[in-house]
Amino acid sequence: MKTNDVIIQFTAKLVFFMIFFYAVHIFFAGHYTPGGGFVGGLVTASAIVLLIVAFDLKTVQTILPINYIYMVASGLILALGTAAISMFAGKPFFTHYFDYYNLPILGKTSLHTAALFDLGVYLVVVGVTMTIIQTIGEDE
Amino acid sequence: MFQVLCIFIPLLAALFMPFFFKKISSIHTGWFVLVVPIFLVIYYAMFVPTISKGDSVIAQLDWIPSLGISFVSYLDGLSLLFSILISGIGALVVLYSIFYLDRTKEQLHNFYIYLLMFMCAMLGVVQSDNMMTLYLFWELTSISSFLLIGYWNNRDKSRFGALKSMMITVAGGMMMLGGFVLLSIMGDTFSIRELIGQAAEIATNDLFAVALILILLGAFTKSAQFPFYIWLPDAMEAPTPVSAYLHSATMVKAGIYLVARFTPIFASSEIWIWLVTGIGLLTLTWGSFFALKQTDLKGILAFSTVSQLGLIMSLLGVGAIAFHVDGAQDTIFKYAAFAAIFHLINHATFKGSLFMIAGIVDHETGTRDIRKLGGLMSIMPVSFTVALIGSFSMAGLPPFNGFLSKEMFLTAMLSITEFELFNFTTWGILFPIIAWIASVFTFIYSFYFVFKTFTGKGQVDRLPHKPHEAPVGMLISPVILAALVVVLFFIPNVVADSFIKPAVMAIQPFLYSSPGQIDIHVAAWHGHITTELLMTIGIIALGLILFLTLSKWQKVYNLFPSKLTLNNLYDFIIYELFDRWVGGFSGLYMTGSIRRYLSYMLGAISISVIATLFIQDAFKVTLVGATPIRVYQIILIIVLVIGTIATVFAKSRITSIVSLGLVGYTVSLFFVMFNAPDLALTQLVIETISVALFLLAFYHLPKYKKEEERTRFRFGRAFVSIAVGAMVTLVALSAHSQKLIGSISEYYKETVYSLAGGGNIVNVILVDYRGFDTLFEIAVLSIAGIAIFGMIKLRLSRKGEKL
């Protein structure tokens, strides 16, 4: 008998976005307050897991058609690439650059290459967590 | 330069042998090989006039100059004599092998490559002045000898003999290398000549005796001295040309060469004289005694070789005494070294010919068993004549060269009684007596060898082949050697002047300044009756009596229990001790159980760390700088301890998993309490995921044997666990109490905003200050993810097909 999960599915739809935006928040806030790419990635992955629990693996794969192994790879490339930028300027590997800009809506904002590196971490963490959960879940 | 390259000529020629064998198969490959030793004999013979004047010729080719290792060809009397023996007998053996080995049935290219390899190695051994290249060539002789003994590798006994000789000679070679290294440390050079120059200082070094014994071990194993002779009889499984060449004339004399070469360095030592003389005499007696027990022709010759090598060795030992006697060039001690070299030449000639005759008998009758042979004298007259000459020379009868060297041997042994140092006054008298007894046995087995084979009734019809005289080509080499045996008797002084005296110069360089000073005149008849002559007559008389009554007392040998032989000891060491016991012992601890290995590792680590802590007196506890303990810390610790205890003692696995989760969340609470919000966040999420994964693994446990059982208590494991816990606690306490250097965190605090443009120190450290770590941590994470993916998706069967 197929149970009707209407409450959990409806709640999941709502909560997913709350968790996801919280994850994005702690990712961006990481440089100044607790958080960062690692925790952000984990929380994002848990949001997706919530969807998987509420619906099922196939449905989530159609909603989010992401190849998580590519995601891992692109995260690694981004992290390595960010770290390597400085080498083109003749500086040591892993030299970061930052400055403060006045952006139209956000006002005075700091832009930091460490954020790009952190984005790489974020992608790897989401990718790896989801790869593990997906492959184990699919396994008979 | 060319002189050094000459050592390698055989090796270069070996490269072409497969070509000759495969492409020019109508001609026996041996004919092409023969060119090499003949060329070498002529080349080395050209040095004789120079060397016999007492000069030496040296050529050098650098190999590893930075380490002082080079190929040196140093030709003095000793090495020239050996080089000529090696190439000369090599030529005769190659000639003999052409008729002995069938062109169509044998893998000739293999045989000749091994043989040429060996020739190169032997030339290298005797000519090297550099100890490292000497060792290199030394091992090459072991390897090529191993290959030659195992030439018929489809026979069990060949493989056994090859392995045995390899084990023993390589073990000795390793010891010798150790001795060489010690010598080079003492003298700060690899050159033997330079070491001889420093002999007096080296003798006072602490390492001197160790180096001496190690080098002697190398020489004794190679030259088949007691108790290492056991490989030689088993090496008789080799083709007969190999036995004639390696195991009578050349390789087994490498040890003799080594002892002779190092005599100037070590002769000052009492240990050297006692060991070389004593072991030599023991080997002589032992070998000659047990030669009579053998029934295999080559077995008799093997034991006879062992015993003759012992004789030469003991003479070298006595030769070393001359270093302790004032005015030695005027005493009778001077005879010993001379006799050793003389007998070495004689032994090479008569033993080579005897081996070749044994090969002919084997080849023509199909058996080497002396009990089946007999009455071949009229069928194989030439072989009989050669065998007779060789045996009589071996027995020490005139008019053959063995008589001369045996007389000198007795002279040298008698001289020991006049030596007054090192306890020789009490024990010295034993030496000539033992030597005399051994000579009697030598006489008996020489007669036993020749007369049991060629005379008597015999059962010629029952032999595997119908016997007939060997082809002429096969007889050339033994006839040449037998002719030398006779010729040497009549012209000993010519040989002495051109070969022996320069060689003696090399052994006793301090005593003479030129070979002309060596005042020894060999004569068969000294014009008056000497003690030696009486002893020889006694040998002949007693030997004849014992030989004629041989069948009556030969049963004596059956009294020796076969369990107490040295071969049995070898088999025990190799097959019982190493294979079974050592294998069984490693089976005791290498159980394959990971728990077992883990307890070894953890136990070893904790015990060594705790021991170090207390031995170094490093354990200290101070509470300075410790923060006060709060109530909720105590509460959390209690929860933590409860969780931990529940994890370990829980009956059900699910309880353990949940308790582990409890521990994890408590730890994240600790992080909150100790102001680590990033850690607390991460710990919470990670703990959740890992508990979920544990539950997944629990759910998929196989139904069979899924009993819910409490972990059984094992004392050993409990002990190791407590030890590890104690270690970590002690190390943590003492590390906390002894902070020698302040933290660098102040720098981070100051620069986190100004230099890195951030506010969260933890995150800035992770992505900026020490982003390198993070880069590779995400790499680790990726590898883990992909590995899980691969493990689950890729399921190959054993044959590599996808399931």
Side-chain angles (χ1 to χ4, degrees), chain B residues 600-672:
Chain B
Y600 298 153
M601 289 191 272
L602 294 176
I605 292 170
S606 49
I607 288 168
S608 50
V609 169
I610 293 174
T612 317
L613 265 184
F614 283 95
I615 289 168
Q616 298 287 331
D617 197 23
F619 179 65
K620 283 190 192 85
V621 181
T622 52
L623 291 174
V624 179
T627 46
I629 302 166
R630 308 259 169 77
V631 181
Y632 40 81
Q633 286 169 348
I634 295 171
I635 295 168
L636 273 185
I637 285 170
I638 291 169
V639 175
L640 195 73
V641 168
I642 290 172
T644 313
I645 289 173
T647 311
V648 176
F649 290 99
K651 192 183 171 202
S652 129
R653 288 203 169 98
I654 202 128
T655 319
S656 288
I657 293 171
V658 174
S659 326
L660 206 58
L662 174 69
V663 173
Y665 289 132
T666 320
V667 168
S668 72
L669 279 181
F670 269 111
F671 287 147
V672 172

Side-chain angles (χ1 to χ4, degrees), chain B residues 8-29:
Chain B
F8 294 98
I9 282 179
L11 210 55
L12 291 174
L15 292 176
F16 297 100
M17 288 312 140
F19 170 76
F20 287 128
F21 179 69
K22 295 265 165 69
K23 298 292 174 194
I24 314 176
S25 52
S26 54
I27 303 171
H28 197 286
T29 317

Side-chain angles (χ1 to χ4, degrees), chain A residues 22 26 30-39 42-43 69 72 75-76 79-80 83 93-94 96 98 100 110 112 114 117-118 120-121 124-125 128-129 131-132 135-136 138-140, chain B residues 677-678 681-682 685-686 689 693 696 700 753-761 763-764 766-775 778-779 781-786 788-789 792-793 795:
Chain A
Y22 175 63
I26 54 175
H31 217 56
Y32 290 97
T33 55
F38 198 85
V39 185
L42 282 176
V43 175
I69 291 188
V72 174
L76 277 177
L80 192 63
F93 188 62
F94 246 116
H96 282 301
F98 68 93
Y100 295 91
S110 87
H112 200 305
F117 179 77
D118 226 10
V121 176
V124 169
V125 171
V128 167
T129 320
T131 309
I132 293 172
T135 36
I136 292 178
E138 277 173 350
D139 184 47
E140 295 304 313
Chain B
D678 289 273
L681 264 175
T682 315
V685 186
I686 287 293
I689 291 177
L693 289 176
L696 196 70
H700 287 290
Y753 187 79
S754 56
L755 287 183
N760 179 354
I761 293 184
N763 199 40
V764 171
L766 283 181
V767 299
D768 197 344
Y769 291 121
R770 286 151 80 181
F772 233 125
D773 294 353
T774 314
L775 184 63
I778 58 176
L781 210 58
S782 318
I783 292 166
I786 291 165
I788 290 173
F789 182 79
I792 288 176
K793 295 284 177 184
R795 289 188 180 166

Side-chain angles (χ1 to χ4, degrees), chain B residues 377-389:
Chain B
M377 184 166 67
S378 53
I379 304 167
M380 305 167 79
V382 184
S383 309
F384 170 67
T385 316
V386 173
L388 197 71
I389 293 172

